[in-house]
Amino acid sequence: MKNIVTIIALLLAGTVNAQDTLKLSLSETIKHSLSNNKTIQAEELNDQLNEYKTKELNSAFYPIISANAGITHYVDVPQQYVAASALSSTAPSDQYVRLELLLPNSFNVGISANWTLYNQGVYSARKILSAQTQLSDIQFEKSKSELAFSVSQLYYGIVFLQKQQESLFKIDANSDKLIDILQRNYENGTIKRSDLEKAQVSKVNVTSQIVGLKTAVETQIKLLKLMIGIPAYTVLHLTETDFRESLIPLSTSTSGIETSFDFQLMQIQVKLSELERKSIQASYLPTLALTYSYSYNTVSPEFGEVLNSSFSYPMQFVGINLSVPIFDGNRNLSKLKQNAVKSGQLALQSQFVSEKIDVEIANALLQYNSNLTTLASNEANTKLAQKLFDQSILEYQQGTVFINDVLLAENSLHQALTAYFNSVSSALVALLEYKKATNTILNK
């Protein structure tokens, strides 16, 4: 029984460990971020918000129905003057009598409805809301693209920091071998102590850089976890480490400014300005509404008997109300003039955005191809530096070069590797910038 419990505990522990470990390629990381990033999730709720706004606006096309009830007691009963001749044929024609025509207590209960039949302003508002929904949708897609850009940058950065670590581990291992050789030579009396100490100092420097890179990797991984929406305690492994094959020269842009989010957003802004103008113009048009009311009323000379009074009567009416605007103090005219100025501003801004996007695409393409050239040079330089370092170790063992030459070759190799990794990373970021400018970063 004890063995069974132990086995179950081990299986459960394995399950927990498996759940706490996440292995992701770049595309999986982007997909995970789009599903779990809190900012994206918050923006996604705009769909529901816009849906409820639409329902709120559509409610203007339904009748507004209300019920009412009330009891009224007149402290001073309203009075009316009538011609005395209406009460008595013998009364003088110029004589008037004051009469109380209402009982002092009344109770009424009823229902009323008001239904807008025509209001051009409501139709214009629906079109504006539809355009605002489009604006929200485009902004949401832009946010996803920007998130994918940031996540990709972090992914690349972490991978190449880890590659630099690996290169430093190799250099550190070579330093250990060199120090072993120098230690034996020093003990044999064939070299000075200073030669050994120079190699030891070089190793300490490499070790310090390894520690610094380890901290940088941990910091960037924590940030990546935050952006893709996974718990901080999860162990994250980045499985995609070779991006060299994806770096190929691009001759021309594959997309125009029409695909750019900034261009699309500007076009919606222009559309909204036009709809705003039509909405202001709609305020000059008449509105038409249907009205209906029904109530049941009782009246009584005694307040306590008003609910049970036999003096009762119904009242019901239906009507159509037409409202025609005549003069608003030039309020809407001022709004139209403001709209005309805004439209002019948007036209200039739209032209600038189009030109800016063209420049950004061209510059991103130029920068990417330039980075590829630098990458090719650094790649060749790294191979040469590795060859010279290996050769310097061999020549030192043969006694044809000094320890300073070996350390210099080691330092050159380290610099060459760092430059190579940086150039690969820069080329990938430049490719991201190009994809961002052409709105193709989420394309498979």
Side-chain angles (χ1 to χ4, degrees):
M1 181 66 180
K2 184 177 180 181
N3 291 336
I4 294 176
V5 172
T6 303
I7 293 172
I8 293 175
L10 289 173
L11 289 174
L12 289 175
T15 302
V16 172
N17 289 335
Q19 292 175 341
D20 290 347
T21 301
L22 191 60
K23 297 180 179 180
L24 296 174
S25 64
L26 176 58
S27 61
E28 290 170 340
T29 304
I30 293 174
K31 184 178 180 181
H32 200 283
S33 69
L34 296 177
S35 300
N36 298 281
N37 180 269
K38 299 299 185 295
T39 301
I40 294 298
Q41 290 176 340
E43 286 194 33
E44 198 168 11
L45 292 176
N46 282 332
D47 286 341
Q48 295 183 31
L49 189 61
N50 290 329
E51 180 183 350
Y52 294 135
K53 285 181 178 180
T54 301
K55 290 182 178 180
E56 177 189 0
L57 195 56
N58 288 339
S59 67
F61 294 96
Y62 294 94
I64 299 175
I65 302 173
S66 60
N68 55 81
I71 296 178
T72 302
H73 169 71
Y74 289 105
V75 178
D76 293 317
V77 179
Q79 298 178 350
Q80 187 75 32
Y81 285 91
V82 299
S85 59
L87 302 176
S88 174
S89 60
T90 60
S93 60
D94 60 347
Q95 186 176 355
Y96 295 89
V97 179
R98 186 174 68 179
L99 299 176
E100 292 183 354
L101 300 179
L102 298 176
L103 293 179
N105 304 288
S106 65
F107 167 74
N108 68 81
V109 59
I111 187 170
S112 62
N114 189 19
W115 191 356
T116 299
L117 299 178
Y118 175 77
N119 188 333
Q120 187 59 41
V122 176
Y123 291 103
S124 297
R126 289 179 68 182
K127 292 180 180 179
I128 290 175
L129 180 58
S130 177
Q132 288 175 340
T133 301
Q134 293 179 34
L135 187 72
S136 177
D137 291 342
I138 295 172
Q139 185 60 57
F140 179 58
E141 292 300 318
K142 181 180 180 181
S143 296
K144 291 198 296 184
S145 177
E146 290 175 345
L147 176 62
F149 178 86
S150 299
V151 167
S152 298
Q153 271 191 312
L154 271 175
Y155 197 103
Y156 292 150
I158 293 169
V159 167
F160 287 104
L161 283 174
Q162 291 173 336
K163 284 184 176 293
Q164 288 185 49
Q165 276 185 306
E166 292 172 4
S167 69
L168 285 176
F169 284 140
K170 293 178 181 179
I171 291 175
D172 188 58
N174 290 332
S175 295
D176 287 336
K177 293 178 182 178
L178 179 60
I179 289 173
D180 287 340
I181 295 172
L182 292 173
Q183 183 69 42
R184 289 194 297 270
N185 291 343
Y186 172 69
E187 290 172 356
N188 294 334
T190 56
I191 64 169
K192 298 181 294 184
R193 183 175 181 81
S194 60
D195 289 340
L196 174 61
E197 290 175 342
K198 287 177 182 178
Q200 291 172 336
V201 168
S202 178
K203 175 179 170 56
V204 170
N205 289 335
V206 171
T207 303
S208 298
Q209 292 180 53
I210 291 174
V211 173
L213 285 174
K214 181 176 182 294
T215 302
V217 168
E218 291 176 354
T219 302
Q220 295 298 299
I221 286 181
K222 288 179 180 178
L223 182 57
L224 182 60
K225 288 179 182 179
L226 175 65
M227 295 191 71
I228 67 176
I230 64 174
Y233 59 78
T234 302
V235 178
L236 180 61
H237 292 296
L238 307 184
T239 61
E240 194 170 352
T241 59
D242 187 9
F243 303 100
R244 185 66 181 86
E245 293 182 359
S246 63
L247 297 173
I248 57 175
L250 298 175
S251 56
T252 57
S253 172
T254 57
S255 301
I257 62 172
E258 297 82 7
T259 61
S260 169
F261 286 123
D262 289 338
F263 178 80
Q264 295 177 40
L265 289 172
M266 183 56 67
Q267 294 306 300
I268 296 295
Q269 292 285 0
V270 172
K271 181 180 179 180
L272 279 170
S273 179
E274 175 65 19
L275 291 173
E276 181 185 7
R277 180 182 64 82
K278 292 181 178 180
S279 178
I280 297 170
Q281 291 174 337
S283 63
Y284 287 106
L285 300 176
T287 59
L288 189 65
L290 177 66
T291 302
Y292 170 78
S293 177
Y294 173 85
S295 64
Y296 182 78
N297 306 271
T298 62
V299 293
S300 172
E302 300 296 331
F303 184 78
E305 299 296 328
V306 68
L307 296 178
N308 301 318
S309 175
S310 61
F311 303 132
S312 62
Y313 59 93
M315 186 171 64
Q316 182 176 199
F317 69 86
V318 63
I320 294 179
N321 295 326
L322 177 66
S323 177
V324 181
I326 297 176
F327 181 67
D328 64 354
N330 289 330
R331 179 170 176 266
N332 287 325
L333 180 61
S334 298
K335 285 185 175 181
L336 284 173
K337 290 182 178 180
Q338 292 176 47
N339 178 263
V341 174
K342 290 180 181 178
S343 296
Q345 290 175 327
L346 286 172
L348 293 172
Q349 291 171 0
S350 180
Q351 182 179 356
F352 174 76
V353 167
S354 298
E355 295 171 354
K356 177 173 173 285
I357 294 170
D358 272 336
V359 171
E360 287 178 347
I361 292 175
N363 285 345
L365 186 62
L366 181 65
Q367 185 64 47
Y368 171 66
N369 287 327
S370 175
N371 284 342
L372 288 186
T373 302
T374 303
L375 170 59
S377 299
N378 287 336
E379 191 171 20
N381 192 47
T382 299
K383 293 178 181 179
L384 178 59
Q386 182 68 57
K387 179 181 177 181
L388 292 175
F389 176 71
D390 294 339
Q391 185 177 343
S392 68
I393 292 287
L394 180 60
E395 291 177 348
Y396 178 76
Q397 291 174 329
Q398 294 173 349
T400 57
V401 298
F402 297 104
I403 186 60
N404 287 341
D405 297 316
V406 178
L407 296 177
L408 182 61
E410 180 187 71
N411 185 58
S412 297
L413 175 59
H414 174 56
Q415 291 179 349
L417 287 169
T418 301
Y420 170 70
F421 292 135
N422 287 339
S423 61
V424 176
S425 180
S426 296
L428 288 168
V429 171
L431 182 59
L432 280 176
E433 292 284 358
Y434 171 76
K435 289 182 177 181
K436 181 180 179 182
T438 56
N439 189 18
T440 56
I441 198 167
L442 290 175
N443 292 358
K444 294 183 179 179

